[in-house]
Amino acid sequence: MDPSASSSSAADQVVRRAAVIARHLREHAGGTPSASPFLVPAACLCYSPPEVSEKAAFDSREMRRLMDDHDLEARDWLFRVMEENRLFCPRRRGGEKAFVAPDYNQTKEQQREATMRRIEYLLGRGVFEGWLTGRGLEAEMRKFALFECVGIYDHSIAIKLGVQFFLWGGAIQFLGTKRHHDKWLKDTENYVVKGCFAMTELGHGSNVRGIETIATYDSNTEEFVISTPCESAQKYWIGGAAKHATHTIIFSQLHINGTSQGVHAFIAQIRDADGNICPNIRIADCGHKIGLNGVDNGRIWFDNLRVPRENLLNSVADVLPDGQYVSSIKDPDQRFAAFLAPLTSGRINIAVSSVYMSKVGLAIAMRYSLTRRAFSISPNGPEVLLLDYPSHQRRLLPLIAKTCAMSCAANFLKSMFVRRTPEANKTIHIYSSALKATLTWQNMRTLQECREACGGQGLKTENRIGILKGEYDVQSTFEGDNNVLMQQVSKALLGEYIAVQKRKKPFKGLGLEHMNDPSPVVPANLTSCTLRSIMFQTDLFCLRERDLLNRFASEVSQYQNHGESKVNAVNLSYQLAEELARAFTERRILQTFMDTEMTLPAGALKDVFGLLRSMYALVCVEEDASFLRYGYLSLGNAAAVRKEVMKLCADLRPHVLAVVSSFGIPDAFLSPIAFDWIEANSWSFLNTD
């Protein structure tokens, strides 16, 4: 080919393309080049509050009463207490609006001291009054409510309080007797004593039964001698140990006359009044973490530390002066389970706080998507609100539905706990394990999606969502690894199944009564009306759960018939175990959501609850492959579910601002991008606080 011809052809193409672009620009400039310029500057973007265009069909305050469930006035009081004090770092970002959040630019040491100063201030304001010495349902629920509010401000404060009141204080309440209550509870409530909870070790986390710390009884001195026999036995991740704690609960293997009696709990002092580490104790810092740097996590070694016999927490078992071991619970497994009781309230707090963090993330992301625009669908048209894109709705609205459903489940869990009876302990353990795992996993997915939905603004620490991911990631690990907790759930369900088969009696408890009924039948063709009906959703979730329980039991039995031990048979059936635990938990969440919906009179709020409930149910179906894997739905019906989710997104779109407003998060606890993000980023507010 002639090079000159090729060059000429390329030049002609450039000329033609330039002419097309020029003609396009002239057309959209409204005339000829002589009449107006080719390019007209676009008008500057301006912020319009979403309340101007989004009109609520229901009273968000009424929905908040359902979501928060209790102690709304106490919550609002504590929010104001934190907003009004400089210790909580109020920062102005645009106009008169101020936001409160910890200063994450501080060093680890500075964050720890700031956390303690805030706790001391809240103590002075009476926030913790009755947290350990109060009695009755109202006192317990108020404690939950105030704890949740503090966590909305800062996870580090919540963890410090959780260790002080729910782990250290809870262990004394649950595992101690009157002598311990009288000596320790009031001083703990007033922070005269700062406690920590030494259970986790370097070599043993979830497997508490395997911890290696040893407590040997010396009958000559009536003391327990506590030692760390090897490096893997060092206590690890102990909140408060590195800096502030004066005392600890030590979980260790109790040895008496050469016989191990299993895990027991002991009170020990680790620092004196001046903050000096006590003799026979070594403490090291766990160091900087991906989050929660306001918590002083530490490691502890015990070098033949002696503690008085009376420091054994003895509600479950005791050692008499002569060394005789006595316990009202003869079964070692049941006795061990009783020693883990303090962890239950911790798991409940974790589950509930994860829901509130999802609410924070969604309130921020949703308000931003109602004011941020991107791209236009016509040449001269306005840019489109992010939330008016169906794809953006599909990203966020199912998360709102799940968060609302899980909020109802969290309220159910708290209510069950404060009304607990000894007979209900096993049930509470199963539900708290299932919901702690499910709600914390969902929180991390929600925060990630919210972060991405806010684009680059989601990366800024002041906009909260990104930093919350690091702060809350640990929830899937502490107070029980999520995967381990879900295995415990499936094992408990298997135990119920085997017991029913042996007794030849109906299922009773854990919501498994549906197993006594005939198996539900899914219609061949699912209409929109059917997909949104409570009966269909309940039947489908029960069908999945009953089939997976039967499959799990059958597979375990088959492995055992081939010579495997029961423990190994369960381990080999882990896939069905995971699916079953998920099915059980999602069915329980759906039930609590429906129960809340049923309390509402006919009207707009009940209609919106119905939309949210249907969204929750159908998104769970869409996300779980077991509905197709085991044939609960045909391919056609699965496609119908997917289409219905998109319809629900469109139906929920007009209500989203009212729904996130019902979350009850004060403006100051959200972030700048939830409001006038243009003014908050303007030059004039660059250096204002």
Side-chain angles (χ1 to χ4, degrees):
M1 178 180 289
D2 184 353
S4 62
S6 175
S7 176
S8 175
S9 174
D12 290 343
Q13 290 180 18
V14 170
V15 171
R16 284 197 299 272
R17 288 173 182 167
V20 170
I21 293 171
R23 185 169 62 252
H24 175 78
L25 292 173
R26 284 197 298 273
E27 290 172 354
H28 292 291
T32 63
S34 60
S36 63
F38 283 3
L39 297 175
V40 177
C44 288
L45 293 174
C46 61
Y47 172 82
S48 177
E51 288 82 1
V52 172
S53 56
E54 305 289 321
K55 303 303 179 183
F58 62 90
D59 187 345
S60 60
R61 293 171 299 180
E62 182 61 29
M63 186 168 178
R64 185 196 171 191
R65 281 190 281 272
L66 295 171
M67 294 287 100
D68 279 344
D69 188 52
H70 60 94
D71 292 284
L72 271 65
E73 291 184 3
R75 293 172 191 267
D76 290 340
W77 166 75
L78 182 50
F79 283 136
R80 290 193 299 271
V81 165
M82 292 187 282
E83 285 183 54
E84 294 167 359
N85 191 277
R86 296 291 299 177
L87 279 173
F88 296 87
C89 303
R91 298 177 180 85
R92 296 207 174 276
R93 288 293 181 268
E96 295 300 313
K97 198 165 287 295
F99 301 94
V100 291
D103 183 357
Y104 295 107
N105 291 317
Q106 292 181 323
T107 65
K108 167 169 61 72
E109 289 73 21
Q110 289 172 328
Q111 288 186 55
R112 290 174 175 180
E113 293 312 308
T115 298
M116 277 309 301
R117 285 196 300 272
R118 290 167 187 143
I119 288 174
E120 289 164 1
Y121 173 74
L122 296 175
L123 175 68
R125 293 299 302 268
V127 172
F128 312 133
E129 185 177 344
W131 278 31
L132 289 173
T133 59
R135 294 291 180 266
L137 186 148
E138 289 186 5
E140 287 206 68
M141 293 303 277
R142 185 176 187 275
K143 176 170 65 172
F144 275 130
L146 298 183
F147 183 80
E148 290 154 18
C149 294
V150 171
I152 288 171
Y153 171 75
D154 179 29
H155 199 198
S156 285
I157 297 181
I159 294 303
K160 291 282 281 187
L161 296 180
V163 171
Q164 176 80 357
F165 290 100
F166 292 92
L167 292 181
W168 157 268
I172 293 172
Q173 279 186 319
F174 285 108
L175 303 181
T177 51
K178 188 176 186 300
R179 72 185 187 214
H180 305 108
H181 300 164
D182 293 344
K183 183 174 181 179
W184 301 103
L185 291 184
K186 190 62 178 178
D187 280 351
T188 297
E189 190 172 280
N190 292 330
Y191 268 88
V192 175
V193 168
K194 300 181 183 73
C196 62
F197 190 80
M199 176 180 281
T200 297
E201 297 179 355
L202 177 62
H204 291 88
S206 296
N207 182 18
V208 178
R209 196 188 292 264
I211 62 174
E212 298 171 288
T213 301
I214 295 173
T216 304
Y217 184 64
D218 183 347
S219 59
N220 295 322
T221 61
E222 296 187 19
E223 294 174 311
F224 294 100
V225 182
I226 301 178
S227 62
T228 303
C230 52
E231 287 298 341
S232 59
Q234 63 180 275
K235 296 298 183 180
Y236 215 98
W237 292 123
I238 310 306
K243 180 74 175 178
H244 299 127
T246 60
H247 293 72
T248 189
I249 303 287
I250 307 172
F251 284 82
S252 61
Q253 304 286 352
L254 173 59
H255 288 189
I256 299 178
N257 298 323
T259 300
S260 175
Q261 299 293 345
V263 176
H264 288 65
F266 307 82
I267 295 175
Q269 185 169 356
I270 59 174
R271 285 187 177 86
D272 63 22
D274 296 322
N276 301 307
I277 297 173
C278 294
N280 302 99
I281 294 173
R282 290 173 286 150
I283 295 178
D285 200 313
C286 285
H288 195 274
K289 309 180 288 288
I290 65 171
L292 289 177
N293 284 299
V295 179
D296 51 320
N297 294 93
R299 304 149 62 190
I300 311 176
W301 292 257
F302 304 104
D303 301 320
N304 295 322
L305 174 70
R306 287 183 171 268
V307 300
R309 183 183 67 86
E310 292 77 15
N311 282 22
L312 169 67
L313 294 176
N314 63 337
S315 70
V316 174
D318 204 356
V319 176
L320 302 181
D322 63 0
Q324 182 183 354
Y325 180 80
V326 293
S327 176
S328 59
I329 304 176
K330 302 306 179 185
D331 186 299
D333 291 337
Q334 293 181 10
R335 193 160 61 233
F336 173 72
F339 279 117
L340 300 184
L343 295 178
T344 299
S345 62
R347 286 175 185 152
I348 293 170
N349 281 325
I350 291 169
V352 175
S353 69
S354 70
V355 175
Y356 275 99
M357 286 307 103
S358 292
K359 290 179 179 179
V360 170
L362 285 166
I364 294 169
M366 200 58 63
R367 291 188 65 90
Y368 186 60
S369 70
L370 286 166
T371 61
R372 180 68 156 84
R373 295 176 180 272
F375 307 105
S376 59
I377 58 176
S378 61
N380 292 319
E383 291 185 283
V384 178
L385 285 174
L386 294 182
L387 197 59
D388 284 338
Y389 284 102
S391 59
H392 208 77
Q393 295 173 16
R394 181 60 183 80
R395 294 171 69 181
L396 294 179
L397 297 185
L399 299 178
I400 288 182
K402 282 196 168 188
T403 299
C404 290
M406 291 177 180
S407 186
C408 294
N411 291 334
F412 156 79
L413 187 57
K414 285 188 290 185
S415 178
M416 175 179 285
F417 179 76
V418 299
R419 294 173 173 83
R420 62 192 176 276
T421 62
E423 295 74 26
N425 283 341
K426 180 180 178 182
T427 299
I428 294 171
H429 169 70
I430 294 169
Y431 279 132
S432 65
S433 298
L435 291 173
K436 183 268 185 182
T438 301
L439 273 54
T440 56
W441 271 331
Q442 183 60 35
N443 179 45
M444 292 308 297
R445 297 187 190 104
T446 298
L447 290 175
Q448 179 64 31
E449 196 63 61
C450 288
R451 207 294 300 156
E452 293 182 29
C454 292
Q457 290 296 321
L459 297 172
K460 294 187 70 174
T461 300
E462 72 171 7
N463 288 329
R464 297 208 70 188
I465 300 173
I467 198 73
L468 290 178
K469 287 171 51 190
E471 289 288 298
Y472 281 84
D473 199 349
V474 67
Q475 285 194 333
S476 63
T477 299
F478 64 11
E479 306 291 345
D481 175 89
N482 282 358
N483 286 285
V484 174
L485 292 180
M486 292 300 263
Q487 289 172 13
Q488 290 182 10
V489 171
S490 59
K491 288 178 184 176
L493 296 175
L494 177 62
E496 291 294 313
Y497 182 94
I498 293 172
V500 165
Q501 300 301 314
K502 287 183 177 178
R503 293 194 308 261
K504 299 187 183 304
K505 291 184 177 180
F507 283 91
K508 185 178 181 181
L510 295 174
L512 294 175
E513 289 82 0
H514 69 87
M515 296 283 293
N516 303 320
D517 301 327
S519 181
V521 177
V522 176
N525 296 300
L526 297 176
T527 64
S528 178
C529 183
T530 301
L531 286 167
R532 298 190 185 196
S533 74
I534 287 178
M535 179 176 292
F536 167 74
Q537 293 162 10
T538 302
D539 283 350
L540 187 60
F541 276 51
C542 289
L543 174 63
R544 173 182 56 161
E545 184 180 17
R546 72 186 294 144
D547 181 67
L548 288 171
L549 180 51
N550 284 321
R551 288 175 183 271
F552 181 47
S554 176
E555 187 167 294
V556 169
S557 178
Q558 289 176 20
Y559 278 122
Q560 288 182 280
N561 290 338
H562 285 84
E564 300 288 353
S565 67
K566 183 179 179 180
V567 172
N568 203 37
V570 170
N571 289 337
L572 291 170
S573 303
Y574 72 93
Q575 289 180 316
L576 280 168
E578 291 172 356
E579 292 172 322
L580 171 60
R582 176 177 182 172
F584 167 80
T585 310
E586 290 181 349
R587 191 263 306 157
R588 179 68 260 183
I589 294 171
L590 177 63
Q591 185 62 56
T592 61
F593 206 17
M594 291 190 301
D595 291 344
T596 304
E597 181 185 350
M598 290 299 101
T599 66
L600 294 170
L605 180 55
K606 184 163 189 169
D607 292 342
V608 171
F609 249 78
L611 294 175
L612 291 166
R613 183 249 310 148
S614 290
M615 176 70 88
Y616 169 76
L618 297 186
V619 165
C620 286
V621 172
E622 189 178 19
E623 291 176 348
D624 186 1
S626 68
F627 285 98
L628 279 174
R629 182 181 294 122
Y630 302 113
Y632 313 140
L633 289 178
S634 66
L635 289 174
N637 280 343
V641 168
R642 191 181 191 199
K643 290 180 180 178
E644 197 63 29
V645 168
M646 289 306 302
K647 293 178 184 177
L648 284 164
C649 285
D651 290 346
L652 278 169
R653 164 63 182 86
H655 307 292
V656 291
L657 181 61
V659 172
V660 297
S661 297
S662 76
F663 291 165
I665 314 297
D667 292 356
F669 292 78
L670 297 178
S671 72
I673 59 168
F675 301 96
D676 192 343
W677 43 272
I678 297 175
E679 187 176 27
N681 285 282
S682 66
W683 180 265
S684 58
F685 287 99
L686 190 60
N687 295 307
T688 59
D689 281 326

